[in-house]
Amino acid sequence: QLSRTSPLRSVLLDPEVNNLPPARTQTEYAEFVRTRNKAHSSYDLDEDGQVTVQDYKLAASLDVDGDGRLDTDRHKEGGLILAERFFERQIVPAKFHGDCWTAREGREGFQENARRLANSQHFGAGLRMLEMREKRLLGRASLNMTACMQAPKGPDEGPRSHLLAHRKRTERLFGQAQLDKWDAKLEKWSTKR
């Protein structure tokens, strides 16, 4: 908001527009700003106790009043959107998550699963459990390491470029040994004429 008397003047210098209370110390001012800029707890859509950036972006788009709070209907709608996004992007089929989830393919299947998850009594815990189960089934943490350990089978096959990229990581010595072993198997050409 601009100053009413002088448009180029800082808001802090105009007492009519300035809504910050005077602070005696920098700590007092920082405490006021921190509490003022904190998101309301209704913005926590996945119910994990923290308002993450993902929660804030989605909740801010659902906040039609612009008052910084979500009513229960909008909060449930945000939970449904989060559940739909999870089932839409899932790599592991729903049947691996348990018998309570439908194994139907397509949009109707994941919408039914999303409604079931969003309407459950323990939505936040259920969403976190499904995400952890998906990570465990995929073994995402070790995909790069196992790709590094697999030597290429031929000159046009295998992840040789991946081996070179993973040399920079903690498996550098192992990756270099694999490269040396592969290079020793290749046919050597003489540079002499």
Side-chain angles (χ1 to χ4, degrees):
Q1 190 174 10
L2 297 174
S3 171
R4 293 186 183 135
T5 57
S6 303
L8 297 178
R9 180 187 282 185
S10 170
V11 173
L12 299 174
L13 297 175
D14 192 357
E16 295 176 10
V17 182
N18 184 5
N19 59 357
L20 296 174
R24 291 188 312 246
T25 62
Q26 176 68 26
T27 309
E28 201 175 291
Y29 173 73
E31 178 68 25
F32 172 76
V33 170
R34 187 178 63 83
T35 56
R36 184 173 182 212
N37 293 337
K38 192 172 184 181
H40 190 261
S41 60
S42 64
Y43 271 40
D44 182 22
L45 297 176
D46 57 1
E47 299 173 3
D48 61 350
Q50 298 175 351
V51 179
T52 60
V53 174
Q54 179 187 11
D55 290 341
Y56 188 85
K57 284 181 180 178
L58 182 58
S61 68
L62 293 173
D63 187 13
V64 292
D65 304 336
D67 61 351
R69 298 169 190 251
L70 290 180
D71 57 349
T72 55
D73 295 335
R74 297 287 182 192
H75 189 80
K76 286 184 179 182
E77 184 180 342
L80 179 64
I81 292 172
L82 282 179
E84 282 181 354
R85 285 181 183 174
F86 172 77
F87 284 110
E88 193 174 287
R89 70 170 163 73
Q90 78 178 18
I91 301 166
V92 177
K95 64 182 178 181
F96 290 114
H97 291 298
D99 296 335
C100 62
W101 308 108
T102 182
R104 274 193 307 170
E105 294 295 324
R107 189 158 181 82
E108 299 84 24
F110 77 73
Q111 282 182 341
E112 181 182 338
N113 287 335
R115 275 193 303 276
R116 187 174 294 149
L117 176 62
N119 293 333
S120 70
Q121 187 176 5
H122 305 289
F123 164 71
L127 182 63
R128 284 190 299 279
M129 181 196 67
L130 287 172
E131 288 172 346
M132 292 300 293
R133 186 175 291 157
E134 185 180 44
K135 284 182 184 177
R136 191 171 57 242
L137 288 172
L138 288 176
R140 275 188 207 156
S142 62
L143 284 180
N144 291 335
M145 188 173 66
T146 54
C148 174
M149 291 183 188
Q150 296 171 351
K153 296 176 178 66
D156 296 331
E157 301 173 14
R160 183 169 174 79
S161 62
H162 295 304
L163 284 173
L164 291 171
H166 291 297
R167 277 180 45 204
K168 297 175 185 171
R169 302 210 178 165
T170 56
E171 302 294 326
R172 182 179 184 277
L173 295 176
F174 182 77
Q176 185 62 47
Q178 293 290 73
L179 283 172
D180 293 340
K181 191 188 310 181
W182 175 250
D183 289 338
K185 291 180 185 178
L186 291 176
E187 189 175 342
K188 303 289 185 218
W189 298 96
S190 174
T191 58
K192 297 180 182 175
R193 291 187 187 237

